[in-house]
């Protein structure tokens, strides 16, 4: 008999999931019946997230995972612009590709599945200081498309989300001060900030059978903000 949940018996890995959008995605997919593996760079944060979700009766485990394998990464001694560029691309683009490469054979062995990359509206809309970040997020749209054929051959769908301004620690500088928030919202037709749970619902949909013929797509979650390159 069906449990009425989207992901009974499924295992989900959510990277960068001890706070913000990742934590909301982990919580939502666990509520939808999956066993969720939580991870981030810090044991303390992993423990806190696992405790929080377990206290809500959800099935989760946790492990420390720096997505860019810090031990292989050149240590940044000086924050030169080139080193910042390299770091952003290493985490957002290269590590994303390597994670897909590493995990895809395991998903294939289980009969197939779904991968969702977290990009950003910043990949469509370029602000002055966010050139490297925005360009790396644009690259993630291309990466999503580029991985479709190989993933399809492994019965894996791969899609992407592009959140706009979402209320998390990462984006605090854009919403904590009411004047800055009012200025930011000038480009958001819905005239409000988004919540992490509003990203999690879209990820749940993309991972589910309701999206069984959807691959290579980017869904923008940005309150109507312009999203054309
Ligand atoms: N918030 C927004 O408005 C917004 C908009 C568009 C796109 N995004 C994208 O959404 C993603 C998540 O952002 P967020 O707003 O949810 O940030 P957040 O609230 O600051 O959470 C970031 C999470 O990622 C973990 N983390 C950071 N670097 C990591 C690494 N190298 N390896 C593994 N885990 C790492 C952090 O835990 P530890 O510190 O313990 O590692 C934390 O759990 C980012 O890719 C961001 O570009 C956010």
């Amino acid at each position: 008999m069906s449990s009425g949940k989207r992901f009974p018996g499924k295992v989900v890995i959510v990277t960068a999931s001890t706070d913000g959008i990742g934590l909301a995605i982990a919580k939502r997919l666990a509520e939808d019946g999956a066993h969720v593996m939580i991870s981030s760079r810090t044991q303390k944060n992993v423990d806190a997230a696992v405790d929080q979700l377990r206290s809500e009766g959800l099935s989760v485990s946790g492990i420390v995972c720096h997505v860019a394998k810090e031990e292989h990464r050149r240590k940044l001694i000086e924050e030169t612009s080139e080193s910042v560029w390299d770091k952003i691309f290493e985490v957002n683009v290269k590590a994303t590709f390597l994670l897909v490469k590493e995990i895809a054979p395991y998903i294939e062995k289980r009969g197939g599945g779904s991968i969702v990359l977290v990009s950003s509206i910043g990949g469509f809309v370029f602000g002055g200081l966010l050139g490297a970040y925005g360009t790396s997020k644009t690259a993630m749209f291309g990466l999503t498309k580029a991985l479709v054929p190989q993933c399809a051959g492994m019965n894996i769908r791969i899609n992407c989300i592009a959140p706009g301004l979402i209320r998390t620690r990462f984006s605090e500088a854009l919403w904590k001060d009411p004047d800055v928030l009012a200025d930011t919202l000038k480009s958001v037709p819905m005239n409000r900030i988004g919540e992490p749970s509003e990203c999690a619902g879209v990820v749940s949909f993309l991972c589910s059978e309701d999206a069984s013929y959807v691959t290579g797509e980017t869904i923008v979650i940005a309150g109507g903000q312009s999203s054309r390159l």
Side-chain angles (χ1 to χ4, degrees):
M1 199 169 64
S2 160
S3 65
K5 296 199 167 182
R6 266 180 166 162
F7 309 119
K10 298 286 182 188
V11 175
V12 171
I13 298 170
V14 188
T15 55
S17 54
T18 58
D19 205 353
I21 294 170
L23 179 59
I25 291 169
K27 178 173 153 69
R28 171 61 192 262
L29 299 184
E31 286 168 351
D32 286 344
H35 177 79
V36 178
M37 181 62 84
I38 306 283
S39 66
S40 80
R41 293 168 299 183
T42 325
Q43 186 69 55
K44 174 173 72 67
N45 292 348
V46 171
D47 292 343
V50 166
D51 287 350
Q52 182 197 322
L53 297 183
R54 282 189 182 156
S55 75
E56 296 174 30
L58 300 171
S59 173
V60 297
S61 310
I63 192 169
V64 170
C65 171
H66 187 308
V67 294
K69 297 186 177 199
E70 197 166 24
E71 69 270 23
H72 295 155
R73 192 200 296 158
R74 180 165 54 97
K75 192 158 168 54
L76 296 176
I77 297 164
E78 280 182 342
E79 292 247 314
T80 64
S81 59
E82 188 179 343
S83 66
V84 169
W85 178 278
D86 286 349
K87 179 178 177 179
I88 288 174
F89 270 74
E90 190 168 356
V91 172
N92 288 351
V93 186
K94 186 175 167 189
T96 302
F97 167 71
L98 292 177
L99 278 167
V100 172
K101 190 175 167 191
E102 281 159 22
I103 200 67
Y106 292 96
I107 301 177
E108 183 183 29
K109 243 185 241 165
R110 292 176 66 95
S114 168
I115 294 172
V116 180
L117 309 185
V118 180
S119 180
S120 171
I121 191 75
F124 290 110
V125 183
F126 284 80
L129 291 171
L130 297 175
Y133 174 79
T135 310
S136 74
K137 293 297 193 179
T138 311
M140 290 180 74
F141 305 148
L143 185 60
T144 306
K145 294 280 184 201
L147 289 168
V148 165
Q150 264 192 293
C151 283
M154 303 167 95
N155 199 24
I156 298 171
R157 294 180 299 102
I158 179 160
N159 291 290
C160 181
I161 61 168
L165 178 61
I166 306 296
R167 193 188 311 276
T168 70
R169 214 188 306 262
F170 169 79
S171 61
E172 255 177 17
L174 295 172
W175 58 262
K176 249 200 161 164
D177 178 326
D179 292 336
V180 176
L181 177 62
D183 198 44
T184 309
L185 291 181
K186 281 181 190 154
S187 61
V188 181
M190 285 181 72
N191 199 34
R192 70 169 177 83
I193 189 169
E195 300 300 332
S197 61
E198 295 181 287
C199 298
V202 176
V203 173
S204 176
F205 161 71
L206 285 172
C207 290
S208 77
E209 280 304 300
D210 289 337
S212 55
Y213 200 47
V214 180
T215 192
E217 300 301 333
T218 293
I219 296 187
V220 177
I221 309 163
Q225 210 176 337
S226 172
S227 58
R228 290 183 73 87
L229 279 173

